[in-house]
Amino acid sequence: MADMKSVPGDAYLSLAQSYGQTLYGALRGADTARSFAVPPGLDFNVSSRDKSGESSEEQSGEDEDSAEPGRDNEGKVPGRKVREQRSLRLSINARERRRMHDLNDALDGLRSVIPYAHSPSVRKLSKIATLLLAKNYILMQAQALEEMRRLVTYLNQGQTLTTSLAPFGQSSVYPYTGTTAAVTSEKCTAFPGTTSSLCKHCTDKP
DNA sequence: TAGGCCATCTGGTCCT
DNA sequence: AGGACCAGATGGCCTA
């Protein structure tokens, strides 16, 4: 929570812009549809009520009335306050639901850009796996970028590779060992279709 | 059947 | 006051 609050305004804006692209996006696969499906047991509060809007909320208010037959001095509709509270609660619930759907849309967007097998036969990444994989992917990209920078610097120092070039990272002239290129071909065991260098399970192995 | 994952509800807190 | 965010609780679904 503190982390969220500490995000600089500009960063938050840029995040929000990309976030808005996925907001209410039309791309909702089968998995997403499953995620949005309302559990049968929650139908009372969610699906039927949200679809019919306010009228259904009033119906729940009437339920409250029957349970609470008291009448105030002003002759107001019995349980009106209860009904208002119920209505407020339902609107808060709907807002929270929408927020979580937006969060899931963002996670889907994240899944779509990190390298793992996106075929239907492969199980969708869990939320935690998505975040961990994304973090490792970012770290790996940063490492690769740094390595490329060092290579460019090295080449700019006047060294010419006159001899036949060995595959990247295995050159006898280039002093830095290519870790990323070598590792990325290995497959992860925890997340099928993913390279092991992205997976904490694999990278943590001794 | 236990455990993992998920969606939803709910009450609390903070911010505008 | 209303909205956003968060965390805990709860129950459903799926898989090993």
Side-chain angles (χ1 to χ4, degrees):
Chain A
M1 184 172 183
D3 292 341
M4 294 287 289
K5 307 270 186 209
S6 65
V7 172
D10 289 346
Y12 184 81
L13 276 180
S14 63
L15 278 174
Q17 283 175 348
S18 58
Y19 169 66
Q21 291 174 355
T22 62
L23 211 59
Y24 308 119
L27 291 176
R28 286 189 176 172
D31 279 332
T32 312
R34 172 197 166 273
S35 298
F36 289 165
V38 177
L42 295 173
D43 189 60
F44 176 82
N45 281 331
V46 181
S47 57
S48 62
R49 306 214 168 275
D50 281 355
K51 282 170 191 166
S52 52
E54 304 301 318
S55 60
S56 61
E57 289 170 7
E58 286 186 2
Q59 202 166 12
S60 88
E62 287 173 5
D63 291 344
E64 299 286 351
D65 291 348
S66 59
E68 200 171 328
R71 187 179 299 266
D72 62 22
N73 293 336
E74 298 169 3
K76 287 180 183 174
V77 180
R80 177 175 175 177
K81 184 154 190 171
V82 173
R83 201 181 315 179
E84 285 174 355
Q85 286 175 342
R86 180 66 183 160
S87 174
L88 179 63
R89 221 327 123 189
L90 288 176
S91 114
I92 292 174
N93 290 352
R95 222 171 29 237
E96 175 67 7
R97 223 177 300 130
R98 216 178 309 132
R99 195 182 70 84
M100 295 309 295
H101 288 175
D102 293 345
L103 182 62
N104 287 336
D105 282 347
L107 270 170
D108 283 338
L110 187 56
R111 281 188 194 97
S112 70
V113 296
I114 58 180
Y116 80 101
H118 295 277
S119 72
S121 59
V122 176
R123 187 183 171 83
K124 191 171 90 169
L125 285 179
S126 70
K127 292 180 177 181
I128 183 71
T130 301
L131 293 175
L132 291 174
L133 216 51
K135 175 198 157 195
N136 285 346
Y137 183 50
I138 291 170
L139 291 176
M140 195 198 76
Q141 293 294 328
Q143 190 180 347
L145 181 61
E146 182 59 28
E147 198 163 329
M148 289 299 292
R149 283 201 177 116
R150 283 199 291 232
L151 175 60
V152 168
T153 303
Y154 178 77
L155 292 176
N156 284 343
Q157 283 173 349
Q159 304 287 340
T160 54
L161 302 177
T162 53
T163 57
S164 61
L165 274 172
F168 178 72
Q170 298 175 18
S171 169
S172 58
V173 222
Y174 179 58
Y176 306 105
T177 55
T179 54
T180 56
V183 178
T184 48
S185 60
E186 294 179 22
K187 295 298 177 185
C188 167
T189 54
F191 306 117
T194 308
T195 54
S196 63
S197 59
L198 299 179
C199 172
K200 191 172 189 304
H201 290 270
C202 299
T203 53
D204 281 354
K205 281 180 187 171

